[in-house]
Amino acid sequence: MVSAATRKWARMDPFNLAPSLPRAEGPPGPGDPGWLVRLCWAPEEHQTRMRRKSLLQARVMDFLTSTAVLPLLFGCVGVFSLLKLLQWLRMKAYIRDAVVVITGATSGLGRECARVFYAAGAKLVLCGRNAKALEELTEELAASQAAKVQTHRPCSVTFDLSDPGCIVGAAAEILRCFGHVDVLINNAGVGYRGTVIDTSTDVDRRVMEINYFGPVALTKALLPSMVRRRQGHVVAISSIQGRISIPFRSAYAASKHATQAFFDCLRAELEQCDIEVTVISPGYIHTNLSLNAITASGARYGVTDKTTAEGRSPVEVAQDVLAAVGKRKKDVVLAGLAPSLAVYLRALAPSLFFRLMAARARKEQKPKHC
């Protein structure tokens, strides 16, 4: 039975069609006491909130543009820009007039490194096996007008890194060019393609001789002059495969792993002599490395792999090498996202990495011996 009070409220409130039913909690609506009053006041409350919001925004802008904050903000930007400028000037000064030796200078990354270091004002000693190609490169650089600083006519020294007997004589000839060496860039190398089981140890030795023992011997031959001057910089162009190994590159990856380890040790030992050591590990570069690679039988591979064809331009990598040397970085990886992540995957989740490499091997070539 409906009470008298309820009947009275129902007559007063025409919107309340079911006054005896309990109401769900929520925003006020028709049937709620004072709903019409709230409805009338809603625009005014909205305007009040907007005024408060605008006032807060104005206060924030006043704070940001005040004499205390704005100069501080511009000061931080200025200091950062000044530091970057000083770093750039220091890098330029480090390279300019420095005696830079580049092995494997006749093609690929070595040739582009010769161009960028020459344009930066370095005194170049270009090394390679092909005397004619070295002479052509020397004439090309001497005739170049791209440099904005004073340049020096490059010298060239012809020798074969795979011949241990010629390294000492080549080092002496290199020192005779300008009297000393400031930066040695060990760039020369050879690629390899083949299965482990089909590759003779003679091929393994040949790859190691060019990629590892040759640079090590040349470095050791030039180090005494650097130590005497307490000044010098040794650079090893390694590879991302010096960090991770992929199928059908065993000899190449082994030589680059050895290179990484040797020059890491060298860096620690020569720190007290003020000798810098930089190891640079590029990913795939669009050069003739795979085309001239050695196969399991010792023959020339003669094919440009898809990964090599899609690799970075040697011009871009040479610029990165110049920056790494100028900034005296100790270890630099110049690879894409996937190879860089693979380095961490190899360290943090080796089992997963091994499964991925096995899957890659199955995809590329089925072992015929299993």
Side-chain angles (χ1 to χ4, degrees), residues 227-242:
V227 173
R228 281 194 299 270
R229 297 175 65 239
R230 296 190 68 85
Q231 181 179 340
H233 194 157
V234 179
V235 181
I237 305 297
S238 182
S239 167
I240 192 66
Q241 294 184 52

Side-chain angles (χ1 to χ4, degrees), residues 239-320:
S239 167
I240 192 66
Q241 294 184 52
R243 305 292 194 90
I244 56 174
S245 300
I246 63 176
F248 314 114
R249 309 288 194 279
S250 59
Y252 182 79
S255 67
K256 294 304 183 179
H257 272 71
T259 297
Q260 180 80 46
F262 175 85
F263 286 98
D264 282 351
C265 292
L266 184 68
R267 182 188 302 112
E269 294 179 17
L270 294 182
E271 182 183 11
Q272 59 187 342
C273 301
D274 299 325
I275 307 297
E276 302 284 344
V277 176
T278 300
V279 178
I280 300 177
S281 303
Y284 290 110
I285 308 174
H286 191 179
T287 65
N288 292 331
L289 184 67
S290 71
L291 192 68
N292 297 323
I294 301 173
T295 63
S297 64
R300 182 171 176 267
Y301 185 55
V303 177
T304 299
D305 294 331
K306 180 181 178 181
T307 51
T308 301
E310 296 175 351
R312 293 185 64 193
S313 164
V315 178
E316 296 177 1
V317 180
Q319 292 288 349
D320 290 339

